[in-house]
Amino acid sequence: MSRTKQVDWAICRNLPTRIYRNLLNHKMSLQQQINKSWLVIGHVTDVVIKLPQFYVSEPGRQRVIASDRKNVHAYSIGILLDPSSVSIPHAELREIYYCPYSQPYFTWKDSNERLSSAHFLVVSDNRVFCTVDRQQPQLSLF
């Protein structure tokens, strides 16, 4: 049984937040930068991130491919919002997807088009969606 940490919304909302899928507890992990270190602030199945940008570390992706062992190398960073404070119509959302074995970037799940950024990233019942693409280049680390 894996442990999960609850988010303290009163302290953590409206701050830059890194989000990635945690393969051990099958939830989304949230990190915020404290004293130059990214620390886990909680694990969620529902959350909203404003103005997310998507990052993939190519060396990290290559380690996954070479070793067939997962590691955190792909994530998004944006402003953490309390999911109960935002209402986005489902019609405005498109599911997104990332697989290190098939491409080095995030894509729209229905079209496989590259996703660079969005107005909102929405995690609902542990599925990840975004609103309209802002057409900015995706950043690559290292």
Side-chain angles (χ1 to χ4, degrees):
M1 181 165 63
S2 61
R3 297 181 339 183
T4 60
K5 184 175 183 178
Q6 298 298 313
V7 175
D8 184 342
W9 294 105
I11 295 172
C12 299
R13 70 174 181 242
N14 299 320
L15 295 174
T17 303
R18 181 186 287 178
I19 183 171
Y20 60 91
R21 182 163 312 277
N22 186 313
L23 298 175
L24 298 177
N25 65 19
H26 307 289
K27 294 184 178 187
M28 301 302 286
S29 289
L30 302 176
Q31 294 179 322
Q32 289 183 338
Q33 200 167 19
I34 301 168
N35 297 329
K36 298 185 181 180
S37 295
W38 287 95
L39 302 177
V40 174
I41 61 162
H43 306 283
V44 297
T45 57
D46 298 282
V47 72
V48 177
I49 302 289
K50 182 178 174 184
L51 301 175
Q53 293 190 356
F54 298 90
Y55 298 87
V56 175
S57 165
E58 186 58 26
R61 185 174 94 81
Q62 291 304 321
R63 280 192 300 277
V64 168
I65 293 168
S67 68
D68 205 26
R69 277 188 82 190
K70 306 290 192 262
N71 64 62
V72 178
H73 67 278
Y75 52 89
S76 180
I77 297 178
I79 304 300
L80 178 65
L81 301 178
D82 183 340
S84 65
S85 69
V86 180
S87 177
I88 300 171
H90 189 71
E92 293 181 23
L93 298 174
R94 289 173 65 191
E95 194 164 5
I96 66 170
Y97 178 75
Y98 172 73
C99 175
Y101 301 104
S102 59
Q103 74 267 341
Y105 44 81
F106 288 83
T107 64
W108 296 108
K109 190 172 184 179
D110 60 0
S111 67
N112 232 14
E113 293 173 65
R114 187 176 185 158
L115 173 66
S116 23
S117 62
H119 291 290
F120 292 99
L121 179 146
V122 177
V123 179
S124 178
D125 293 325
N126 221 21
R127 292 178 59 198
V128 185
F129 303 88
C130 281
T131 56
V132 180
D133 186 14
R134 291 176 35 220
Q135 300 298 324
Q136 293 181 358
Q138 182 165 335
L139 302 175
S140 181
L141 300 178
F142 315 107

